[in-house]
Amino acid sequence: MPELPEVETTRRRIAPLLVGRRIEKVETTRPSYFFLTPPAELRRRLEGRRVESLDRVGKYLVAGLEGGSRLLLHLGMTGQLFSSTATSVRLLSATVRASLAPEEQRGFEPDAHTHLQLSLDGDGPRVFFRDVRKFGKVQWLAPGERNARLDRLGTDALVLAGADLFAVCHGRKAAIKGVLLDQSVAAGVGNIYADEALFVAGVRPGRAAGRVTRRECEAIVEGLQRVLLRSIETGGSSISDYVAPDGSDGGYQDERKVYGRTGEPCLVCGDPIKRRIVAQRSTHFCARCQR
DNA sequence: ACCGCACCCTGAGCGC
DNA sequence: TGCGCTCAGGGTGCGG
């Protein structure tokens, strides 16, 4: 699931293919929940425009276009933004994978889940946006147009201060994990890194936010930023669907301490990692190391 | 103001 | 073999 490190890795590696290029052709799938801007309008708005910049805002990618308009992209749960030259088994369904010999699994062909195909000027590859579950989003914004989704976002998780988290937690009965997942508090945090940060800080995910001390909030933010930065260094986590724009896997899944390690020994104390639902999300923690 | 929950979507995995 | 069920969860919006 793409969170801040996966989105940042995607941004860094797809930017060279997009920035400075003119979008010559846009191909889409049929109108759906995925398209906040209808496909026909999207094609009309994008074709002929040059991409001037690509920024990350929380888990959103924002492409600045010639003339001041913007293209908003969100990878949702299963979104994949990649080069047309990328190959990865993660870009194929299990059925398709099984029907192909390994040597045939090269050269991605756009399928029914490839909702956006951008052809650019120059001789570079095309850029594909594929999303099986369509929780991802694409939206075109007119010059100067405000966007509620972006406006709602809080401080980027990489620059959040412990004191700010502590202030937000005051008096709240909801689980601390839920507060971390709230994009209006710390933009970019998702399920994996919330669990990892709380483990590093030694705080139980289900504890009421109002009962987390200032010192613990500082430890959570410090741990969160260490984990996020390390994940960016290793190219993000490839657990189910995430692939980098060149088709390569990330490396952080090998450094996880708790997420998805249910029943395996805690790397600090050896007790089995527990799994509970907290804040409506699957949550992993060590009951001995986290209080 | 805050909180829990339903919903959007599809594929994998599992039990029968 | 195949059907039906459950689960995965980012984000939005609603009701209490």
Side-chain angles (χ1 to χ4, degrees), chain A residues 238-251:
Chain A
S238 289
I239 294 173
S240 52
D241 301 286
Y242 177 73
V243 281
D246 59 356
S248 64
D249 278 2

Side-chain angles (χ1 to χ4, degrees), chain A residues 2 8 24 26 35 42 55 60-61 73 82 84 126 132 137 140 157 176 182 193 203-204 230 275:
Chain A
E8 179 60 22
E24 289 192 332
V26 178
F35 292 100
L42 198 61
D55 298 311
Y60 289 87
L61 288 174
L73 304 170
F82 57 100
S84 57
R126 285 181 290 164
V132 169
K137 296 279 176 283
W140 180 83
I176 179 66
D182 184 341
Y193 300 103
V203 175
R204 201 77 74 90
R230 175 61 188 156
R275 177 183 172 277

Side-chain angles (χ1 to χ4, degrees), chain A residues 8 23 58 71 102 105 124 152 201 218 263 277-278 286:
Chain A
E8 179 60 22
I23 300 171
L71 179 67
Q105 297 181 2
R152 262 193 293 270
E218 282 163 4
I277 301 298
V278 175
C286 172

Side-chain angles (χ1 to χ4, degrees), chain A residues 80-94:
Chain A
Q80 301 166 317
L81 189 67
F82 57 100
S83 156
S84 57
T85 58
T87 56
S88 165
V89 293
R90 295 185 197 276
L91 297 172
L92 305 171
S93 73

Side-chain angles (χ1 to χ4, degrees), chain A residues 148-166:
Chain A
R149 294 161 193 272
L150 294 181
D151 288 347
R152 262 193 293 270
L153 296 177
T155 311
D156 193 86
L158 285 178
V159 295
L160 185 72
D164 295 339
L165 179 63
F166 182 66

Side-chain angles (χ1 to χ4, degrees), chain A residues 162-179:
Chain A
D164 295 339
L165 179 63
F166 182 66
V168 166
C169 286
H170 182 76
R172 290 176 70 161
K173 290 183 179 171
I176 179 66
K177 173 165 174 176
V179 174

Side-chain angles (χ1 to χ4, degrees), chain A residues 219-234:
Chain A
I220 291 168
V221 168
E222 193 187 333
L224 178 63
Q225 290 168 352
R226 199 162 77 229
V227 164
L228 293 174
L229 288 172
R230 175 61 188 156
S231 184
I232 292 171
E233 268 180 32
T234 60

